[in-house]
Amino acid sequence: LITSNGPYGHDIMAAEWTHHVSYKPGLIAVCINPNDATHANISKTKEFGVNLCAYEQNVISSISGGNSGKSVNKIKALKELGVKFFKAKKIDVLMVEDSALQIECRLIKKIKLGDHTTFVGEVVEAYPPSNKEPLIYHNQKYWKLGDNIPKPSQKEIEKIKSVVEKHKK
């Protein structure tokens, strides 16, 4: 969930294309359609919040992704449904309470790529991760994390190392 504030007021949108792209400095990229209210908000204010939905927050994701901030005050609608927000510490946006992760970003680069714009933000504040499981969106359905898949056995790891070593350039 990307939170912003600007010409369309406080807004929230679901953004499937959100990527952590650097550790030092901490950078996050979000890809947003130029027709979205969030695009106008970030372009104007040069800041945005990233909130990773917890698996029980699928209603937030559905409202945020299924409506435009140009025609719906999604923040007010979500508040009426019991969703809680808090003011970010270092930027002028709202953050989603009880989400799996919350990060505040200041824009450092805006790149037009195809039919979307990639906004790259530097992390200026990161809240301690909660113990909430993240919501997963795939194939137009919501999922939660399933079973842990074990790593290869020590025997398999040794074989992999041997094969890789044999094919080094």
Side-chain angles (χ1 to χ4, degrees):
L1 301 170
I2 307 304
T3 50
S4 63
N5 189 13
Y8 290 98
H10 285 286
D11 192 35
I12 184 169
M13 73 168 284
E16 187 175 0
W17 300 337
T18 304
H19 317 277
H20 181 222
V21 295
S22 172
Y23 288 115
K24 290 185 182 180
L27 300 176
I28 295 181
V30 295
C31 302
I32 300 175
N33 186 306
N35 297 319
D36 290 341
T38 299
H39 190 285
N41 280 357
I42 296 172
S43 293
K44 176 76 173 172
T45 65
K46 314 285 190 259
E47 56 190 24
F48 58 93
V50 177
N51 305 264
L52 182 60
C53 270
Y55 79 90
E56 66 271 10
Q57 294 178 316
N58 61 357
V59 169
I60 301 172
S61 181
S62 293
I63 290 172
S64 300
N67 297 281
S68 170
K70 289 181 175 180
S71 58
V72 175
N73 186 326
K74 295 182 273 184
I75 299 293
K76 282 187 177 179
L78 288 166
K79 283 181 177 180
E80 187 172 324
L81 291 169
V83 176
K84 293 181 181 165
F85 296 88
F86 64 93
K87 175 137 179 29
K89 292 179 184 175
K90 296 185 177 172
I91 60 175
D92 186 22
V93 303
L94 297 174
M95 304 301 285
V96 180
E97 200 170 291
D98 295 325
S99 57
L101 181 70
Q102 301 117 343
I103 297 173
E104 299 177 25
C105 296
R106 284 213 177 90
L107 185 65
I108 64 164
K109 190 166 228 164
K110 180 178 173 181
I111 310 159
K112 174 101 171 94
L113 295 169
D115 61 358
H116 278 61
T117 300
T118 299
F119 292 97
V120 180
E122 183 170 3
V123 174
V124 295
E125 185 71 40
Y127 298 81
S130 71
N131 291 330
K132 306 245 180 189
E133 286 188 55
L135 179 70
I136 298 168
Y137 182 77
H138 172 69
N139 202 20
Q140 299 181 332
K141 294 178 185 167
Y142 294 118
W143 306 82
K144 70 181 231 179
L145 292 173
D147 297 330
N148 182 316
I149 299 169
K151 290 185 175 183
S153 68
Q154 189 59 41
K155 183 178 179 182
E156 291 169 312
I157 290 171
E158 307 232 351
K159 181 176 182 178
I160 291 166
K161 283 181 184 178
S162 171
V163 169
V164 169
E165 188 64 34
K166 183 169 109 182
H167 295 281
K168 278 192 174 176
K169 295 181 179 182

